[in-house]
Amino acid sequence: MRIELPRTSERFGANVFYGPVQVYELDSGFRGQGGAEEGAIIALPYERLHEIQRQMAVVVPVRGERIRLVEGILFAIPNQCLAIVVSNSPREPVDRFRVEQQALCTFARLARKRVVLLHQKDPLVGKAFLDAGYPELVGDDGLVRDGKAEGMLIALAVARLAGKRYLGFVDADNYSPGAAHEYICEYAAGFALAECQYAMVRILWQSKPKYVDGQVYFAKWGRTSRRTNHFLNQLISRYTGFETDIMATGNSGEHALTLELALRLDYATKYAVEPQHIISLLERFGGERESPYPDVMREGVEIFQIESRNPHFHRAGEPDHIREMTGVALRTIHGSFLCPAALRREIEDDLRLHGVLSDDDPPVEPVRRYPPLLDMDFGTFHHTVERRLQTTSVEPVRLQKKGMSRPQPPSMGRTRPVRGRPADDQGGTSPPDQ
Ligand code: GDD
Ligand code: MG
């Protein structure tokens, strides 16, 4: 891939937010082919991207999507990646999950691809989180709560067990497998550019086509992302003292993280997860308060934004859905201890203007947040969930056992492990072997 090197950046404590970069060739060939470096643009050889993808899990969250769409995404995932599908599809009156299982098994057999498929409401998955000392994700019924972010956390735990180093997310409702494939290549390109082990790559869609006046119109900004970006940029500007437009991917559902970073961020529920990632970076590594992870403060965090070449065609959201998504996105910013009072008032005004909040509503509530997964007892999680992974995975996923803490009997009534335990104790995320 031939890609522009970031020209602009904004520092916020240990975080470096790079401005969006463009791709000049989706495939620039093998190493040494067609010239390697031309100053502002770099050719990332196919071998390098392949090596990164070999260590990457690609996660597809699904809730009741048409099976053709889900299959299309699987066709797009390079064979060298581990695919993890977390489904929250209804099981009644028709068992949609069973349909997904059958389709994925056929696909995985034909493509000789590793696919892990789990149902979000599998009681064993809920039990695994409880046993492992991560009860926040589990409702009173003992099952993992609803929501895209909740599914993503399941996938993060599985990727950690599989020893993966990188984690990329691709929504299942994408009509274009070519676009999904491009995003996964761009994730690898971002990681190839990264200089530290704490890195994030966010896709800026080239466009999101829609019908306007009977014609296809290649809109650049979504209804939610426009406002989320505005307020995230305002938040950064209030601290740096210089107005910025660096943040262009505040809602980017298509994003990827190194496992080391993914394990150290907190997650907001449902569709608030993407803006929350930015808030979490600012809060934890922004230097305004002492960071729980001094190693990250020393090494730094890099956030890349890559503009895709394919347009993004997906299932269009209804106005109520957009209102809800915008509401939770802005509430993540509003709820941060970093958000100045004046900016809070601006957000409240915006929510009223767009009908998300009425004058009679109670004060803006913060969204539900889940703490970093790093401190979970992965040994115990592994012990509980292993049986399910072996049966749902089409080819058994080799779970990482080395260095993982011993499973504790549930009767010991484990609570959350002590924070800040050395990484070795957690089993680390040592180089994968798949
Ligand atoms: N596992 C799981 N559990 N998946 C879910 C759930 C759930 O409870 N709810 C939704 N999904 C899946 C959907 O099937 C889809 O693949 C993906 O999550 C995104 O859901 P959409 O309903 O298509 O969201 P959207 O298109 O409105 O919003 C997307 O883009 C936004 C940026 O414009 C999401 O990725 C947002 O998170 C993102 O901010
Ligand atoms: Mg969608």
Side-chain angles (χ1 to χ4, degrees), residues 9-134:
S9 66
E10 197 76 63
R11 279 198 164 270
F12 196 110
N15 299 298
V16 185
F17 293 94
Y18 295 114
V21 295
Q22 299 213 331
V23 171
Y24 286 92
E25 229 175 12
L26 288 171
D27 185 345
S28 62
F30 290 115
R31 187 164 286 130
Q33 197 180 325
E37 247 181 88
E38 297 96 36
I41 293 173
I42 186 169
L44 297 168
Y46 177 77
E47 298 94 316
R48 177 79 186 110
L49 303 186
H50 182 279
E51 181 53 31
I52 290 173
Q53 288 176 342
R54 228 170 50 81
Q55 306 172 56
M56 188 186 289
V58 174
V59 178
V60 188
V62 181
R63 185 173 197 173
E65 301 297 347
R66 278 185 277 166
I67 198 67
R68 282 208 180 193
L69 290 185
V70 183
E71 282 176 334
I73 298 300
L74 287 162
F75 299 149
I77 301 177
N79 188 273
Q80 56 271 21
C81 300
L82 171 68
I84 303 177
V85 179
V86 180
S87 168
N88 195 13
S89 297
R91 308 208 64 169
E92 286 176 351
V94 175
D95 189 348
R96 300 280 295 265
F97 182 61
R98 211 163 126 227
V99 175
E100 289 163 2
Q101 249 174 337
Q102 286 163 348
L104 263 61
C105 279
T106 308
F107 163 76
R109 198 162 25 87
L110 297 179
R112 301 209 52 76
K113 170 115 90 194
R114 284 183 295 271
V115 182
V116 178
L117 171 66
L118 280 177
H119 198 274
Q120 196 157 330
K121 298 290 180 184
D122 184 331
L124 208 58
V125 176
K127 182 175 181 317
F129 278 103
L130 287 177
D131 289 352
Y134 196 86

Side-chain angles (χ1 to χ4, degrees), residues 337-348:
F337 69 78
L338 290 171
C339 190
L343 190 59
R344 282 210 175 116
R345 282 194 295 277
E346 285 174 38
I347 292 174
E348 287 162 18

